[in-house]
Amino acid sequence: MDYDVLNRIRNTIRNEDGIEILYTVGGWHNFNTTFFIESSGIGYLNDRYACSVEAAARLQHPLPVILYMTGIKKQAIARYNPWTKNFTNLKLVKVDPGILFKNTSFDRLYLDVKGQATDLTEHISDMMRIFLLKHYGGLYLDTDTVLLKNTSSLGSFLLYNLVNGIMKFESNHFLVNEIYNSLAQKKYNNRSWDGLGFLTIRDITKKYCELSLQKGNFDEAGKNCNVTFLRTDTFLPIKWVDWKNGLFMQSFKKLEDFRPEVMKNAYGIHFNNHLTSNIPIVRKKGQIHEIIAERYCPFVYSTLPKFY
C-alpha cells in the first residue's frame, strides 16, 4: 500500500554545501504544477534541458514548476543558485528513486529495473512520472520539451499518439490509476525500450477509452475515461528524421518561420529523440534552438556557450 508519498520525497532531499537549492515539495506539487524529471544521475542539465525548465517557469508563473533530479553535482549548485532565484515558482528537488518506491506498489518493479535494465535512465523516469502523476497530478514534460505558451487552460490530457513524454492528469485520475496498477503488476522486460511507457499507455487506453481513430487531426474527448486526446502537433514533435534531413543546419530569422501552419496553435515543441539531446545551443547561427532560447529562456541564453 502506498503511503505518505509527500514525506517520502521530503526525506530524500538534502541541502548540500550550505546552499539552499534543494527544497521540500510541501504543497507545491498539484494539478497546476508542471514538472520535469532528470533521472540519469549525471548531476547537471545541459543548456537545452535547462532552457526547457526556464521556459516553463516563465510561462507558467506564478504556478509551480518542479525539476526532480536523481543526482546533482556540487559544482552545479553554485551555478544554478542565481538561476533558481530568478524564478520564485521554480524548485529543484533531489529524489532517490529507491526511497521513493520503497514499500509501495512499485517496489518490486523498481528492483527488477535496477537489476536488469539496459535503459535504466529511461525506465526509472517512466516509473517516476506515473508515480508522481498518480499521487500529485500535474503536467509532466520531458526535458526536451519547450513550452511556447501557458498551459493552465488545459485539463487532463494525453496526446493522440499516446507518447508518455507529455501528459496531464488530476491526482488519482481513473486512467492514470489504471496505468499505475498495470505497471505495478507488469513482468519487467529489459528488451522492451517503451514497455513501461507508450506500450502500457496504449494498452490501457485501448481497454477503457473509445476513440474515433481519426489520426489525431482534431482534439477528442475520450469516452468513458474523462480525458482529452489532443492533436499530436499541440506539442509539435521534432523527430530524428527531421535532424537527419538537415533541420539542425537550417537557419531561421524568427520562430514563426518554422512550420508556420502549426506553430501559431502549438503549446510547445518536443524535440523527442535522445540521439539529439546533446546538440548544443549555438549563438549567431539562427538555428531553431537559438531562436527558441533567445526568446523563451534568456537567462540560459545569456550563459552560453555553456550553461553548466
Side-chain angles (χ1 to χ4, degrees):
M1 178 178 179
D2 299 337
Y3 64 93
D4 204 9
V5 177
L6 176 58
N7 284 331
R8 186 184 304 278
I9 292 177
R10 182 181 294 119
N11 291 336
T12 70
I13 298 165
R14 69 176 187 267
N15 189 17
E16 298 190 23
D17 292 349
I19 299 174
E20 193 63 34
I21 190 171
L22 307 175
Y23 304 83
T24 57
V25 177
W28 271 60
H29 197 145
N30 54 55
F31 180 65
N32 293 314
T33 298
T34 301
F35 70 101
F36 301 84
I37 296 171
E38 204 300 303
S39 58
S40 70
I42 194 172
Y44 62 90
L45 295 178
N46 66 28
D47 48 19
R48 280 179 48 195
Y49 292 172
C51 184
S52 298
V53 175
E54 179 179 334
R58 289 180 179 277
L59 288 167
Q60 305 292 67
H61 189 272
L63 298 176
V65 174
I66 301 176
L67 169 63
Y68 292 100
M69 301 181 72
T70 59
I72 184 166
K73 286 188 174 181
K74 292 182 178 179
Q75 303 95 306
I77 294 174
R79 185 71 166 173
Y80 291 171
N81 210 30
W83 182 52
T84 56
K85 284 183 176 179
N86 276 324
F87 308 103
T88 58
N89 63 326
L90 172 62
K91 293 190 184 295
L92 276 62
V93 176
K94 186 175 180 180
V95 176
D96 181 336
I99 296 175
L100 183 65
F101 298 136
K102 189 174 182 179
N103 297 324
T104 74
S105 300
F106 272 10
D107 195 356
R108 178 198 56 79
L109 178 61
Y110 169 72
L111 293 175
D112 288 346
V113 169
K114 187 178 180 182
Q116 303 174 35
T118 54
D119 299 296
L120 182 64
T121 296
E122 292 80 3
H123 291 172
I124 293 297
S125 180
D126 287 340
M127 294 176 64
M128 285 181 65
R129 69 191 70 174
I130 294 299
F131 190 92
L132 293 167
L133 284 169
K134 170 184 168 55
H135 291 287
Y136 289 153
L139 170 64
Y140 169 77
L141 299 175
D142 274 353
T143 48
D144 53 9
T145 302
V146 183
L147 289 186
L148 304 178
K149 63 177 68 171
N150 182 281
T151 65
S152 57
S153 62
L154 298 176
S156 295
F157 75 82
L158 285 166
L159 295 183
Y160 203 90
N161 59 3
L162 302 181
V163 296
N164 71 335
I166 303 169
M167 49 188 169
K168 184 178 183 181
F169 285 101
E170 297 173 352
S171 61
N172 287 306
H173 185 287
F174 161 75
L175 197 61
V176 80
N177 282 349
E178 292 298 326
I179 295 168
Y180 178 89
N181 293 335
S182 177
L183 287 175
Q185 299 166 21
K186 186 177 287 291
K187 183 177 181 180
Y188 180 60
N189 178 3
N190 65 355
R191 290 173 293 183
S192 176
W193 186 83
D194 51 4
L196 303 185
F198 164 75
L199 294 180
T200 299
I201 292 175
R202 181 201 63 185
D203 292 346
I204 295 299
T205 300
K206 283 186 175 181
K207 182 176 180 179
Y208 292 105
C209 305
E210 295 182 22
L211 293 175
S212 62
L213 301 178
Q214 295 298 311
K215 298 183 179 180
N217 294 322
F218 55 87
D219 298 347
E220 181 176 355
K223 297 178 182 178
N224 302 325
C225 58
N226 193 29
V227 65
T228 300
F229 292 84
L230 299 179
R231 292 168 51 116
T232 299
D233 60 15
T234 303
F235 292 85
L236 182 63
I238 308 299
K239 301 179 181 179
W240 167 243
V241 68
D242 296 307
W243 296 108
K244 189 176 180 181
N245 290 338
L247 175 63
F248 176 63
M249 302 304 297
Q250 295 179 33
S251 295
F252 303 89
K253 291 184 177 179
K254 57 184 186 295
L255 185 59
E256 288 73 17
D257 293 338
F258 176 70
R259 301 190 183 175
E261 71 281 3
V262 295
M263 283 299 294
K264 63 181 180 179
N265 295 318
Y267 279 86
I269 299 179
H270 187 196
F271 296 92
N272 56 345
N273 189 280
H274 69 282
L275 296 176
T276 64
S277 62
N278 289 316
I279 295 176
I281 302 172
V282 181
R283 284 178 174 269
K284 309 301 181 184
K285 295 290 186 179
Q287 295 164 352
I288 184 66
H289 283 126
E290 182 196 3
I291 300 298
I292 290 172
E294 192 171 15
R295 182 185 300 186
Y296 292 99
C297 58
F299 183 87
V300 170
Y301 186 72
S302 72
T303 70
L304 297 177
K306 193 173 183 181
F307 172 68
Y308 165 70

